[in-house]
């Protein structure tokens, strides 16, 4: 959905740019001053059809942009509450703590420290092609939770109550395995650039094994 909205916005922007360039070239070529004539072109106070045209066309364009953006934003920010995997994300200067709950079973938290390579940061393990609900919180400054491959980013703002929907979002993880880089996308202090983490997507069977060995209170 995010990709289609992005592609549509680019297509609309390129089409608008092409029309504007054509109109500029047309005006420059066909309305340039003729050397053979020193007379002024006809002077008019207004042209009602043209004025209506350049008022209505932008209005229609903005309305279309607004419709698709509002429609997709409502879908992207909806939280159903029935995700089998829920992750509590705690951001702090300058790393992350992930606490995963799977069908009511809470796993041992995974926390990190500032690093220069995302592979050395805390790693969040999730199953592929699964709905996951994230709950974001912080006690210091504004951070931003961003995994570029997920095509989703959400600010982590201090002071938002636990029951406020503004700190939650849900996604369906990718349908392929791999380790994907994550980072803070909001300048949050001296070690902001080292506030890195990774998300590892694994098959469901491997995730079940991960659950069995990472239960809260179990030996690691």
């Amino acid at each position: 959905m995010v990709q289609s909205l992005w592609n549509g916005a680019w297509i609309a922007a390129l089409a608008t740019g092409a029309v504007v360039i054509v109109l500029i070239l047309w005006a420059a070529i066909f309305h340039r001053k003729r050397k053979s004539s020193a007379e002024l072109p006809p002077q008019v106070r207004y042209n009602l059809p043209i004025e209506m045209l350049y008022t209505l066309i932008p209005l229609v364009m903005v309305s279309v942009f607004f419709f698709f953006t509002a429609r997709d934003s409502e879908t992207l920010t909806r939280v159903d509450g029935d995700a089998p995997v829920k992750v509590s994300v705690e951001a702090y200067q300058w790393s992350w703590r992930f606490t995963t709950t799977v069908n009511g079973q809470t796993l041992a938290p995974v926390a990190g420290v500032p690093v220069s390579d995302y592979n050395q940061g805390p790693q969040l393990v999730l199953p592929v092609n699964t709905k996951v609900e994230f709950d974001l919180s912080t006690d210091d400054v504004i951070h931003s939770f961003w995994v570029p491959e997920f095509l989703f980013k959400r600010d982590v703002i201090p002071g938002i109550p636990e029951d406020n929907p503004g700190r939650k979002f849900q996604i369906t993880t990718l349908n392929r395995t791999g380790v994907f880089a994550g980072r803070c996308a909001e300048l949050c202090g001296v070690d902001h650039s080292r506030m890195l983490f990774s998300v590892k997507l694994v098959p469901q069977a491997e995730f079940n094994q991960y659950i069995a060995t990472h239960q809260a209170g179990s030996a690691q």
Side-chain angles (χ1 to χ4, degrees), residues 7 9 22 39 67 76 123-126 182 188 191 213:
N7 292 342
V22 169
E39 296 181 4
F67 169 78
L76 290 169
Q123 185 173 81
L124 174 61
V125 179
L126 297 172
C188 58
D191 269 339
T213 57

Side-chain angles (χ1 to χ4, degrees), residues 102-211:
V102 184
N103 295 320
Q105 178 181 347
T106 301
L107 309 185
V110 176
V113 296
V115 294
S116 299
D117 184 343
Y118 73 90
N119 289 301
Q120 300 172 349
Q123 185 173 81
L124 174 61
V125 179
L126 297 172
V128 297
N129 198 30
T130 301
K131 184 189 291 186
V132 180
E133 178 184 312
F134 293 86
D135 184 1
L136 311 178
S137 64
T138 181
D139 290 329
D140 42 50
V141 299
I142 297 177
H143 301 280
S144 188
F145 181 81
W146 185 34
V147 182
E149 289 288 339
F150 289 176
L151 302 180
F152 200 97
K153 177 170 69 71
R154 174 63 68 86
D155 284 351
V156 190
I157 302 175
I160 299 181
E162 289 187 18
D163 57 350
N164 191 305
R167 56 185 270 170
K168 295 184 179 181
F169 72 93
Q170 69 181 26
I171 63 168
T172 298
T173 56
L174 305 176
N175 59 2
R176 68 181 189 273
T177 60
V179 178
F180 305 99
R183 65 186 70 249
C184 176
E186 186 78 26
L187 182 59
C188 58
V190 64
D191 269 339
H192 160 71
S193 63
R194 302 179 65 205
M195 195 169 171
L196 308 177
F197 66 95
S198 64
V199 177
K200 183 178 181 180
L201 298 183
V202 298
Q204 185 63 50
E206 184 175 340
F207 185 67
N208 293 338
Q209 295 178 352
Y210 176 83
I211 294 173

Side-chain angles (χ1 to χ4, degrees), residues 12 16 55-70:
T16 302
T55 300
L56 293 177
I57 288 180
L59 181 62
V60 172
M61 293 171 58
V62 171
S63 299
V64 172
F65 292 154
F66 176 80
F67 169 78
F68 285 105
T69 301

